[in-house]
Amino acid sequence: MTPSLPRTILFFMITSCAASAVDDGFNYDEEKVPKFTLPDPLVRADGSKVASVDEWKGKRRGEVLELFRDQMYGRMPGRPEGMRFKVFDEETKALGGKATRRQITVFLTKSETAEASFDILLYIPNGVEEPAPVFFGLNFQGNHAIHDDPGIRLSERWMDKGQGVENHHATAASRGAAASRWPVEMLMDRGYALATVYRGDIDPDYDDAFENGVHSLYPEFQGRGDNFSTVAAWAWGLSRLLDYLETDKRINAKRAAVIGHSRLGKAALWAGAEDERIALVVSNDSGCGGAALSKRHFGETVQRINTSFPHWFCENFKKYNENEIALPFDQHMLIALQAPRPVYVASAEEDQWADPRGEYLSAKGGSQVYALFGREGLVADAWPPVGKPAQEGWIAYHIRAGKHDVTDFDWRGYLDFADKRMP
Ligand code: GTR
């Protein structure tokens, strides 16, 4: 039986009290958010209203997915035919005996070339009898940066930080450099495996006219408005990582949660939309082009992101530079594409660039599709206070104190939610 939809959440109307125009600089003033109406995720292209799960699954979900593919993230290829996995490292007593460490190279083509391959770092909790649930995600600085475990292969790729930092090769000094964002022992203690891949193994994070990374394998996906973008390539890489996890006997790939921070959070959300095998999706401070509503024009804007990072989204998305009003969708519909699976959206108070309130409104706006499934989406009547996660429904949200980052506070929220909501 399909429950009726709460009328109050059919539309959001956010009005400005003061000026409707936005300053020349970036807007951090709630009063300067322009007037906008969010498209209703449940109204089909022909204007009819979706009233059942079957209609959502059979008709509307595909329409929404197509809009995002066509106008924002671009199209991605399927699983490559020649793909193979080679386990090159296994340490059963890693992390002082807490975990088994495996490292696997995924070859995307029949020939074993470095260009068409990526390395997975996997930690599996020891002493767990059943195949373990798993968190998986891309990392910014190489697998060796997530922990100071000397057994992790030092990446030989070019490292870049994406913002004016010269490309360089990793040195041993960068081992564990990002460890504060990856509390591996906490995951092991709570019975979750962790798998990660360096984003640059999938696609280097600069505008290279889509010649490098996995794009080089798919030239036919370029030179068009809905081209295979970098965010889509990262999302695609996450699906290939999940392909491996499905083959690992110590992992329960039906209980796989994707996680991503910031630009990699955008990729995690897009992966969750494209790949329904993913059981839970975590967006950590993903901001513009991720969980945050574009139409609010708050903090980072569509024009700004398309200018600083012209490779992240497809060409068609540039039509919306300083023209968010024309977008036929907004990011609440990306949240809706995760339904009925659990999704967690997290913001940080000092991360105004990512528009925390826009992330909250997006989580709220996606909730009506969960209601169609008889599940409560985000259970919060108002924007939750700082440091108080709202985890009652199938969409969780928190805003924590501090800056743009991934902290233990964030992870505890994700693990608590996974304990409760992971299938
Ligand atoms: C910023 C970018 C954001 C966010 C962030 C990050 O420069 O404007 O969209 O993705 O980088 O990835 O840390």
Side-chain angles (χ1 to χ4, degrees), residues 140 163 181 261-264 266 285-288 300 304-305 308-309 312 353 404:
F140 278 79
Q163 284 172 308
R181 290 182 172 180
H261 169 59
S262 203
R263 67 197 67 185
L264 303 177
K266 308 179 207 300
D285 305 356
S286 62
C288 179
E300 188 170 28
R304 172 60 188 246
I305 207 165
S308 313
F309 309 101
W312 280 3
W353 185 239
H404 188 67

Side-chain angles (χ1 to χ4, degrees), residues 119-337:
D119 284 353
I120 299 174
L121 168 64
L122 171 63
Y123 285 105
I124 308 160
N126 284 337
V128 175
E129 281 182 15
E130 298 284 297
V134 60
F135 274 81
F136 69 106
L138 302 179
N139 64 71
F140 278 79
Q141 296 180 61
N143 294 347
H144 60 272
I146 78 140
H147 198 284
D148 61 11
D149 176 352
I152 304 173
R153 178 190 268 183
L154 194 65
S155 176
E156 286 167 16
R157 297 266 182 206
W158 285 104
M159 297 285 137
D160 73 272
K161 291 186 180 164
Q163 284 172 308
V165 179
E166 288 290 304
N167 284 352
H168 58 281
H169 276 120
T171 65
S174 57
R175 288 190 175 281
S180 68
R181 290 182 172 180
W182 298 92
V184 185
E185 281 82 356
M186 186 198 290
L187 275 111
M188 299 304 116
D189 290 344
R190 295 189 56 163
Y192 289 87
L194 175 69
T196 188
V197 170
Y198 172 49
R199 65 184 162 134
D201 271 13
I202 309 291
D203 192 31
D205 193 0
Y206 58 90
D207 185 11
D208 61 6
F210 300 108
E211 282 178 2
N212 296 343
V214 297
H215 289 123
S216 63
L217 303 177
Y218 300 103
E220 69 279 21
F221 280 77
Q222 296 305 332
R224 45 200 262 190
D226 60 353
N227 59 297
F228 186 27
S229 67
T230 288
V231 168
W234 289 334
W236 180 90
L238 287 163
S239 286
R240 306 293 71 84
L241 166 50
L242 185 53
D243 292 339
Y244 166 75
L245 293 171
E246 284 184 329
T247 69
D248 194 308
K249 300 227 162 16
R250 286 188 61 189
I251 299 295
N252 183 348
K254 295 203 158 36
R255 308 186 70 212
V258 70
I259 180 166
H261 169 59
S262 203
R263 67 197 67 185
L264 303 177
K266 308 179 207 300
L269 284 166
W270 185 233
E274 281 277 15
D275 191 338
E276 293 187 89
R277 292 174 301 171
I278 297 173
L280 187 156
V281 177
V282 178
S283 151
N284 190 95
D285 305 356
S286 62
C288 179
L293 295 178
S294 301
K295 290 178 190 282
R296 276 170 49 82
H297 206 279
F298 187 103
E300 188 170 28
T301 61
V302 170
Q303 165 151 297
R304 172 60 188 246
I305 207 165
N306 279 335
T307 307
S308 313
F309 309 101
H311 54 297
W312 280 3
F313 304 98
C314 73
E315 278 307 301
N316 285 340
F317 194 48
K318 300 193 169 98
K319 287 194 300 212
Y320 304 101
N321 287 353
E322 287 304 315
N323 192 23
E324 288 90 346
I325 197 129
L327 274 166
F329 55 86
D330 209 331
Q331 300 308 103
H332 64 307
M333 288 158 73
L334 182 61
I335 304 296
L337 286 173

